[in-house]
Amino acid sequence: FGSVGAEFRSSLQLHVPLQDFQRNSSKVSLMSFVCLLLSTLIAVFFAGSSCDAFSIRTPQSPAVQIQRRRQSLTMSQEGPARQLCSVIWDVDGTLSDSFRLGYDATTTVLGRAVSEEEYHYGTRYTTPERLSRHQGLDPEKDGKEFWEVGNELGRKFDELYISLVTMETAGFFPLLRDVVEELGDRGILQGALTNAAVLYAEAVLKCNGVRPLFRSVQGADTVPKPKPQPDGLFQVCKELGMDPLSCVYVGDSPSDGDASRAAGLFSVGVLWGSHKRETLEGKFDVIVESPEDLREVLSKIVKGENQGEKENRTLAGS
């Protein structure tokens, strides 16, 4: 056993230094890795803390992505700093001079009069919500009753409202049929989004003789969420085959402006509808006072002949 023990001790003496060397090498490698990691993080920080350096992106909703893209766009004196190829219209108070029709139908369904001021204010809401508010109900305090009453009144209102649509009750404001037809002649894709029922919008466009010029028509009852949520505009843009950033929305209500901003559309507010300038300020990219002004603005900012339609079809088929 003496020789075996001597060999073991000799072997141990030879391997101990090797183990120390390996341990030290591991420490050096770990320190090198830490230094490399720190230097990389510092470089990214001073480059603007951008995740693009690693091609890492946090998943975001379409609305968030569009809003971030929109924040980089600016409005110049010549118009929006991007190509605009399609126009989406609100209906009541924007295209259609239907105040008397809506007001009379409202008082008939409610069984009492409301002031014109109260009526105009309510047009920012969907029909059921507007009518329930006219009845003195509050969505926060009355909860289920608010929506039950509103939905029943809304059903009665829509039946009456749609049945009374004619050129006399829902004709377009002066010059606006010409504007719609001129856009069609230029190859501009057009759509419509209303917070009324879709059958009402269809009836108005048909009686004014322009329904064939609209590729998409949507109402509060055919979209996931009505204005001021952006869902309806997303749906119309998809049916047009257009990126929201290449579309214009024309409306007369604060909810139109809010929906446009949330969806990323360029927005034009009109002052011949239910709301005054002070109500629309800050909601729209541009505010116009007359149909003549609107015609001029659209002729400048919307590109004709569908040029660039293909490159803007990023929502088609998605």
Side-chain angles (χ1 to χ4, degrees), residues 1-12:
F1 292 101
S3 61
V4 174
E7 290 177 4
F8 177 78
R9 286 191 298 273
S10 175
S11 174
L12 185 61

Side-chain angles (χ1 to χ4, degrees), residues 19-130:
Q19 291 171 348
D20 289 340
F21 175 77
Q22 291 174 334
R23 188 180 298 110
N24 292 334
S25 297
S26 297
K27 290 180 179 179
V28 171
S29 299
L30 180 60
M31 292 178 64
S32 299
F33 174 77
V34 171
C35 291
L36 178 61
L37 179 61
L38 288 174
S39 63
T40 302
L41 293 174
I42 291 172
V44 170
F45 177 81
F46 283 104
S49 300
S50 174
C51 291
D52 291 342
F54 297 98
S55 297
I56 298 174
R57 294 188 181 276
T58 303
Q60 298 171 339
S61 68
V64 171
Q65 293 174 11
I66 288 174
Q67 187 64 18
R68 290 198 172 188
R69 289 166 64 194
R70 195 180 195 281
Q71 288 172 354
S72 66
L73 301 171
T74 58
M75 174 69 181
S76 68
Q77 292 182 347
E78 299 298 324
R82 63 186 188 269
Q83 298 293 346
L84 299 172
C85 306
S86 300
V87 177
I88 303 173
W89 299 87
D90 173 51
V91 179
D92 284 333
T94 300
L95 284 173
S96 174
D97 185 5
S98 54
F99 160 68
R100 183 50 55 184
L101 169 63
Y103 180 80
D104 290 345
T106 295
T107 58
T108 298
V109 169
L110 293 177
R112 66 177 183 83
V114 297
S115 69
E116 292 188 4
E117 183 180 3
E118 182 182 357
Y119 172 83
H120 284 306
Y121 183 88
T123 60
R124 68 189 66 200
Y125 303 115
T126 61
T127 301
E129 184 172 359
R130 176 174 67 82

